[in-house]
Amino acid sequence: MRFIVSAYAVEVPTMPELIVYRSNALMSVRSRFDGTRDLVMPANLAYAEAMVGMWHSGLPQVTLVPSTATDAQVWPVMSAVGTKIHDTSDDNCPINTGWSYVGGNHGYNVGNQIVVTNHGKTTVDVGSQWTDGTRTFTLLAITNADSLLFGNPYTIVDGIAQGARVKPGSPLTHLSGATHTATVPITGLTPDVQIRPATHSHTVTVELDGRQLPDGRSTGQELSIRESYLIPSYQGMIDTARANIGTPIATIMSRIPSLCRISNVYRWSQGGLLVEQTVAALERFTLNAGVTQCGALTAVAGGTRRQFMPNVGTAGGLNWSGWANIDTLPSLTDFTPATLTNRLWPASSMTQWVLNSGQVQQWGIAVGLLPAADGVPEIRARHTTAKGWFITSSLKKNYPQLVWGRTLEAGESVTGTAYRRYLAPPSAATEIVVSDPTTDFVMIERVDPVAQTQMAAPQLFHRLLVPAGPTNLTVPDRVAVGGISYGMTVPAGYGMWRAEPGPARVGQPPGVTCTRGSYFLPVSGPTQQVTYIGTYQSLLLHPVYLAEPTPVDRVCVEVTAAGTGVVRHGAYAHDPATGRPAVLGPLADFGGLNVTSAGVQESVLAVPVLLPAGWHWYGHAWQTDSGMAPTLRASSIGAATTLNLGTSSAAMTGDRFGYEVTGVTGAFGAIIIAGVHQLPPPRIAYRRA
């Protein structure tokens, strides 16, 4: 993993990329921050029941120290020499089952703790059942002589067990299993207590540059920690306790049926951290997962914390397309598709800065999901329709969601990779390169507009830049010797690209790549003239293939015989899971074409649209006035792709060219496919932006 911030070049003394201090389970990771300061980040192999965490008592926050600070001043306890900049004590990310967080440093939050002085219960009563007259509660632990922990009941919904966040409504009377059966009063009750332990079979390895890390002081390039553990199912926890009266469940965790296996890889490098998480289901359950949760940076007295989020508009009363003051966030805020500029690209990154009272940058952080595995935007869009990011009002959680409300069957898994990079001031833009084990990603986020500037990226010279997320920046196809030049036509510029190391192209893919300002036909060949009778207010979708991602700024068709109204046209993404157009909304709505006169009619786009490599769906709909159907020049050939006819073979009769959506009366939006149609696609030409 490599990070680069290229707003300013600073001469700094030579030092190893990492200094790692270790004492058994506790570690501090030190790296260069700027010309005079170092960054020290905590790591802990035994935080909350042996989970890997980003906190230890000797280093309670990520801290900046002078580069001249000695080892003794930062280890094993951070001395007064440091400046605390980020509390990461809650940042080892759990999963969410839809009704409880679990894993990481969390247990199922469906316990009831009851304080009863000299309650008289002992270990022989563990697993017994008790009732408040309505529900059954299970005694899970004798916390001490004056305290008991009860597990709440569960229900089965659609084959999935769900715990209930309820508290007893009256004193608990004995049902079965206990030796000491005296009624338990509920006057000292604390509800929603986390039940621990909630994990078992934990394994962990620690390596620095591929070698086992010893205790003491070591230097290297990358610290990696790999961990794996099992999460028992809540139903299994309750059932196993009831079946093993008198046996604490902490001693028989391996007997409990497992919900899932969590596998995490943490990679610390200079100034940042990369986290890869895989959740493998061992029984059917609903998953919400975010890979990384990030508490807010530590503020300074009289200052503010500001956050920018690419492709996000207004949410929670704040405008995230500029520097939103997160200290004024009124409540828990969900970022749903409705809050996005382009709803097909879920919120995937943010830049946050701490400013002092004079609005001068102090320290910053960039956080997000990489577009890899299940973090690819097209995949995330299908599984984050409820929310793709959320921030709590306490600012304790501020992170993207890889999936939200996705049901996994036993044997299925989800994988995502998240990054965080600490930023040194002054910085006009976040310009970083983040590398997972196989791919280098370039990210640019800039709020203040600039006509033309350049990001230094010498290690990526001559790499291809392939768009991997939404962008409104103009960048070259390849990294030049001087870096990556870019400009912004509007405020709040952003983009993400894969830097592919492939060999230089031999020629250009025909019909796609061409010089900017040139028109091309995505489908060439013979044509015919088609009058689109019977298609009023029907969106006809046709598959189109492009050999590489292509920005376009004009789209045209030819009207060969005038009609009435307009033909609205646009492009929809391809959903590889269904083989059909993505239903959430269009990649672009090109607008309406006047068809009341013959000739080439053209849509001029105010902002260029990036059409993806591979398949997309061109769509057109005759609208506004149904008096006379227009005649357009159309292709006489079809596209070589599969069309899913549905459950009946009747639709195989006649020509079949694409899918139809009925009742489309205005601007294009989310769609419901009505079936296949037999009208050939208009000949279209795109102009490369």
Side-chain angles (χ1 to χ4, degrees):
M1 176 180 64
R2 296 183 301 280
F3 293 104
I4 295 173
V5 174
S6 59
Y8 292 85
V10 179
E11 293 293 330
V12 295
T14 301
M15 68 167 286
E17 286 205 26
L18 294 182
I19 299 173
V20 183
Y21 309 94
R22 180 179 184 182
S23 176
N24 196 12
L26 306 184
M27 285 163 280
S28 291
V29 185
R30 181 175 181 176
S31 65
R32 184 52 46 87
F33 183 68
D34 58 18
T36 61
R37 295 177 294 179
D38 292 350
L39 183 78
V40 189
M41 300 174 284
N44 190 340
L45 303 182
Y47 178 61
E49 300 168 11
M51 300 296 100
V52 171
M54 289 173 268
W55 180 92
H56 64 73
S57 58
L59 183 62
Q61 286 201 30
V62 175
T63 302
L64 292 178
V65 300
S67 297
T68 55
T70 65
D71 294 338
Q73 288 177 303
V74 303
W75 178 260
V77 176
M78 179 64 65
S79 69
V81 70
T83 300
K84 298 174 182 178
I85 69 168
H86 194 199
D87 181 357
T88 55
S89 59
D90 196 45
D91 283 5
N92 55 329
C93 193
I95 64 169
N96 186 285
T97 62
W99 53 272
S100 176
Y101 284 97
V102 67
N105 59 340
H106 291 69
Y108 289 114
N109 63 343
V110 286
N112 280 290
Q113 190 89 26
I114 303 179
V115 175
V116 184
T117 303
N118 298 321
H119 52 64
K121 307 292 188 291
T122 67
T123 299
V124 298
D125 301 308
V126 171
S128 58
Q129 299 178 52
W130 302 73
T131 182
D132 65 352
T134 303
R135 308 176 184 87
T136 299
F137 298 82
T138 303
L139 180 59
L140 291 181
I142 312 300
T143 310
N144 56 51
D146 301 314
S147 180
L148 302 169
L149 176 65
F150 288 87
N152 291 357
Y154 63 82
T155 58
I156 306 296
V157 179
D158 194 24
I160 298 174
Q162 299 181 356
R165 296 182 68 178
V166 296
K167 58 184 179 180
S170 59
L172 294 175
T173 58
H174 178 250
L175 279 180
S176 65
T179 299
H180 306 95
T181 60
T183 296
V184 178
I186 60 171
T187 52
L189 184 147
T190 301
D192 303 334
V193 171
Q194 295 187 34
I195 298 171
R196 300 178 183 278
T199 64
H200 66 93
S201 302
H202 186 263
T203 64
V204 64
T205 61
V206 185
E207 294 180 340
L208 182 63
D209 298 340
R211 296 183 179 181
Q212 185 174 355
L213 179 71
D215 277 3
R217 181 187 190 273
S218 302
T219 61
Q221 304 294 312
E222 180 181 276
L223 171 70
S224 63
I225 300 177
R226 299 173 182 269
E227 72 171 341
S228 174
Y229 57 86
L230 291 171
I231 296 177
S233 74
Y234 183 69
Q235 177 185 3
M237 184 179 291
I238 296 300
D239 291 351
T240 300
R242 292 176 176 178
N244 294 271
I245 300 294
T247 304
I249 59 170
T251 67
I252 53 172
M253 294 291 285
S254 61
R255 300 187 199 175
I256 303 174
S258 294
L259 181 77
C260 63
R261 176 177 291 278
I262 304 295
S263 301
N264 294 324
V265 182
Y266 300 85
R267 293 185 175 91
W268 279 266
S269 66
Q270 186 172 10
L273 172 65
L274 199 71
V275 183
E276 178 184 305
Q277 183 175 76
T278 297
V279 182
L282 299 174
E283 67 177 42
R284 190 169 192 261
F285 79 104
T286 299
L287 174 66
N288 307 324
V291 183
T292 184
Q293 61 181 38
C294 181
L297 293 173
T298 302
V300 296
T304 60
R305 290 170 287 192
R306 305 280 176 159
Q307 182 166 311
F308 166 63
M309 300 182 69
N311 194 44
V312 177
T314 298
L318 300 180
N319 181 7
W320 304 89
S321 64
W323 288 114
N325 183 354
I326 62 175
D327 294 309
T328 64
L329 192 70
S331 60
L332 170 68
T333 298
D334 293 336
F335 295 82
T336 65
T339 66
L340 306 177
T341 303
N342 184 335
R343 62 188 298 130
L344 297 179
W345 301 91
S348 61
S349 65
M350 68 89 162
T351 294
Q352 184 183 122
W353 279 96
V354 169
L355 309 179
N356 66 12
S357 58
Q359 300 301 294
V360 176
Q361 294 173 333
Q362 302 298 297
W363 44 80
I365 191 170
V367 176
L369 280 175
L370 292 182
D374 292 285
V376 171
E378 294 88 343
I379 297 175
R380 280 189 68 214
R382 294 202 305 271
H383 300 300
T384 56
T385 54
K387 67 175 76 177
W389 193 297
F390 75 89
I391 307 176
T392 60
S393 57
S394 67
L395 306 181
K396 190 176 182 180
K397 300 181 189 296
N398 179 358
Y399 65 114
Q401 295 303 297
L402 184 68
V403 295
W404 188 271
R406 179 177 176 180
T407 298
L408 297 181
E409 303 294 339
E412 292 184 331
S413 63
V414 167
T415 298
T417 302
Y419 65 90
R420 60 175 65 193
R421 171 65 164 101
Y422 292 98
L423 307 175
S427 177
T430 303
E431 300 171 345
I432 60 177
V433 176
V434 180
S435 302
D436 68 12
T438 62
T439 308
D440 296 314
F441 294 95
V442 174
M443 277 161 278
I444 300 174
E445 297 178 8
R446 189 181 191 112
V447 174
D448 300 325
V450 62
Q452 195 70 26
T453 189
Q454 191 155 273
M455 170 185 172
Q459 81 280 31
L460 302 180
F461 173 57
H462 207 59
R463 296 276 194 93
L464 285 170
L465 291 176
V466 179
T471 181
N472 56 7
L473 301 177
T474 301
V475 301
D477 295 331
R478 287 182 180 272
V479 181
V481 66
I484 303 169
S485 62
Y486 67 91
M488 298 166 56
T489 58
V490 294
Y494 49 83
M496 182 181 292
W497 300 265
R498 294 192 310 274
E500 296 191 347
R505 289 194 300 257
V506 179
Q508 296 175 330
V512 180
T513 302
C514 49
T515 58
R516 290 171 179 158
S518 296
Y519 293 85
F520 64 92
L521 298 172
V523 178
S524 58
T527 63
Q528 58 185 311
Q529 297 185 46
V530 175
T531 304
Y532 288 86
I533 297 174
T535 66
Y536 185 65
Q537 295 182 352
S538 287
L539 172 60
L540 307 179
L541 292 152
H542 307 275
V544 178
Y545 185 86
L546 297 179
E548 66 178 20
T550 307
V552 300
D553 58 8
R554 297 191 181 194
V555 187
C556 54
V557 301
E558 182 185 358
V559 179
T560 58
T564 57
V566 300
V567 169
R568 180 176 287 275
H569 60 159
Y572 280 75
H574 178 68
D575 186 344
T578 64
R580 293 187 170 198
V583 300
L584 288 178
L587 285 170
D589 187 329
F590 300 144
L593 292 172
N594 187 346
V595 294
T596 58
S597 61
V600 174
Q601 304 295 331
E602 182 174 62
S603 292
V604 178
L605 310 183
V607 177
V609 172
L610 180 70
L611 297 178
W615 295 101
H616 71 272
W617 295 81
Y618 172 81
H620 62 104
W622 174 33
Q623 297 178 340
T624 306
D625 187 336
S626 60
M628 180 179 296
T631 300
L632 306 180
R633 188 172 302 281
S635 174
S636 293
I637 58 175
T641 185
T642 301
L643 283 179
N644 184 345
L645 300 177
T647 57
S648 171
S649 63
M652 74 170 287
T653 60
D655 298 332
R656 297 297 172 190
F657 288 96
Y659 296 104
E660 180 178 13
V661 178
T662 58
V664 179
T665 59
F668 292 165
I671 58 175
I672 298 175
I673 295 173
V676 290
H677 68 79
Q678 56 188 126
L679 290 156
R683 164 177 273 182
I684 59 172
Y686 291 134
R687 193 179 85 159
R688 193 177 194 277

